[in-house]
């Protein structure tokens, strides 16, 4: 599975010439619409020649500009597809006899591709932010991802204080924004068919000084443009519904890294929690 064009542009940045980087800047500033024009129009917008754009496209692994545009159009189509449209499209397709094996196999591939394309730098940045007990962690997600945000808080609360699950809405989550201090962390899960309310909430938090950690799909939420760490996972599987299994695996990987980084703090906090659960308040707390 080929990575998204945006991912290719970001991963191969160091291989581009100065002129090619001007094209990349135009593409990323208006992604993907900037490339859905003629090669001459794109070159003109970047102030370079047509051959410069052509060389950039070849470096990305495409045979030419038409194939490059087809890849972008496929991304747009995949990004906008709803579960209903995918269900209707698959109605006439032959189905695997063993759906369990087909689904588990597709999830295994999705996790594998997610791992292969993962950014170590973004992962470490997210772990460092979440490991700092001086920062309050606010976690939220959209309609189909809020449950992962809640699970992250459940796990974080076993290791460190000041982690809470909130509703990403300017109308209903304003109390959380009122409590936010510069340097606090907002972990946000936002996947294709991105929710405008979630994007607005994350932008408001960033404006107030929050460090933003984004979990998103390969087409990337608009929040990626201002996030401090972006963790990308594949969402396609044998089901018409986008899977969150790779995102859940990423979340638990973050938690595992935190336990490794904060072993003494995690152990002490768990002992205190277990004592409280057992009613040994006077003895151990």
């Amino acid at each position: 599975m080929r990575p998204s064009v945006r991912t290719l542009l970001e991963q191969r940045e160091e291989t581009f010439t100065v002129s090619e980087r001007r094209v990349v800047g135009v593409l990323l500033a208006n992604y993907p619409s900037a490339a859905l024009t003629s090669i001459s129009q794109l070159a003109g917008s970047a102030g370079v020649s047509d051959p410069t754009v052509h060389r950039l496209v070849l470096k990305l692994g495409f045979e030419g500009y038409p194939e490059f545009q087809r890849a972008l159009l496929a991304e747009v189509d995949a990004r906008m597809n709803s579960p209903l449209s995918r269900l209707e499209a698959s109605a006439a397709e032959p189905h695997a006899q063993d759906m369990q094996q087909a689904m588990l196999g597709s999830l295994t591939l999705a996790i594998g591709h997610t791992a292969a394309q993962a950014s170590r730098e973004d992962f470490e940045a997210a772990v460092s932010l979440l490991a700092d007990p001086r920062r309050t962690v606010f976690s939220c997600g959209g309609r189909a991802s809020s449950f992962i945000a809640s699970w992250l808080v459940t796990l974080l609360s076993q290791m460190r204080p000041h982690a809470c699950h909130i509703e990403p809405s300017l109308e209903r989550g304003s109390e959380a924004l009122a409590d936010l201090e510069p340097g606090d962390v907002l972990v946000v899960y936002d996947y294709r068919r991105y929710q405008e309310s979630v994007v607005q909430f994350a932008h408001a938090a960033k404006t107030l000084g929050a460090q933003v950690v984004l979990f998103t799909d390969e087409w990337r939420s608009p929040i990626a443009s201002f996030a401090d760490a972006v963790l990308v996972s594949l969402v396609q599987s044998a089901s018409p519904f986008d899977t969150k299994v790779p995102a859940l695996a990423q979340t638990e990987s973050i938690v595992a890294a935190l336990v490794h980084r904060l072993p003494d703090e995690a152990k002490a906090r768990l002992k205190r929690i277990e004592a409280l659960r057992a009613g040994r308040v006077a003895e151990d707390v």
Side-chain angles (χ1 to χ4, degrees), residues 17-41:
T17 65
V18 173
S19 295
E20 289 166 352
R21 287 178 182 173
R22 293 171 66 179
V23 181
V24 173
V26 171
L27 287 171
L28 293 179
N30 297 281
Y31 186 86
S33 60
L36 301 180
T37 60
S38 69
I39 189 171
S40 295
Q41 286 177 300

Side-chain angles (χ1 to χ4, degrees), residues 81 83 86 103 106-107 110-111 114 141-149 151 189-195 215-217 219 231-252:
N81 271 344
R86 294 198 297 277
M103 185 64 184
S106 70
L107 292 176
I111 292 176
T114 297
R143 286 183 295 272
S145 55
S146 181
F147 76 99
I148 316 179
W151 180 234
Y189 294 79
D190 192 35
Y191 297 86
R192 65 177 176 178
R193 304 186 79 192
Y194 314 111
Q195 286 182 232
F215 288 79
T216 189
D217 54 65
W219 300 283
L231 289 90
V232 174
S233 64
L234 273 71
V235 297
Q236 293 176 296
S237 69
S239 167
F241 300 98
D242 284 351
T243 178
K244 299 300 183 293
V245 170
L248 184 60
Q250 284 179 316
T251 300
E252 298 199 351

Side-chain angles (χ1 to χ4, degrees), residues 195-243:
Q195 286 182 232
E196 186 61 28
S197 60
V198 176
V199 176
Q200 290 176 351
F201 188 88
H203 189 270
K206 182 67 175 179
T207 301
L208 291 171
Q211 301 289 300
V212 177
V213 175
L214 171 67
F215 288 79
T216 189
D217 54 65
E218 60 186 297
W219 300 283
R220 302 198 178 202
S221 160
I223 298 170
S225 65
F226 57 84
D228 298 281
V230 181
L231 289 90
V232 174
S233 64
L234 273 71
V235 297
Q236 293 176 296
S237 69
S239 167
F241 300 98
D242 284 351
T243 178

Side-chain angles (χ1 to χ4, degrees), residues 126-140 152-153 156-157 160-166 175-188 201 205-206 208-213 228 258 269:
V127 171
S128 294
L129 288 170
L130 295 176
D132 187 346
R134 297 169 298 179
R135 303 176 188 268
T136 297
V137 177
F138 300 92
S139 181
C140 64
L152 172 65
V153 168
L156 285 180
S157 298
R160 52 153 296 162
H162 311 307
C164 54
H165 182 223
I166 59 174
E175 296 85 355
L177 289 178
D179 293 337
L180 190 147
E181 298 287 343
D184 285 346
V185 182
L186 177 70
V187 180
V188 55
F201 188 88
K206 182 67 175 179
L208 291 171
Q211 301 289 300
V212 177
V213 175
D228 298 281
L258 285 169
R269 185 167 175 83

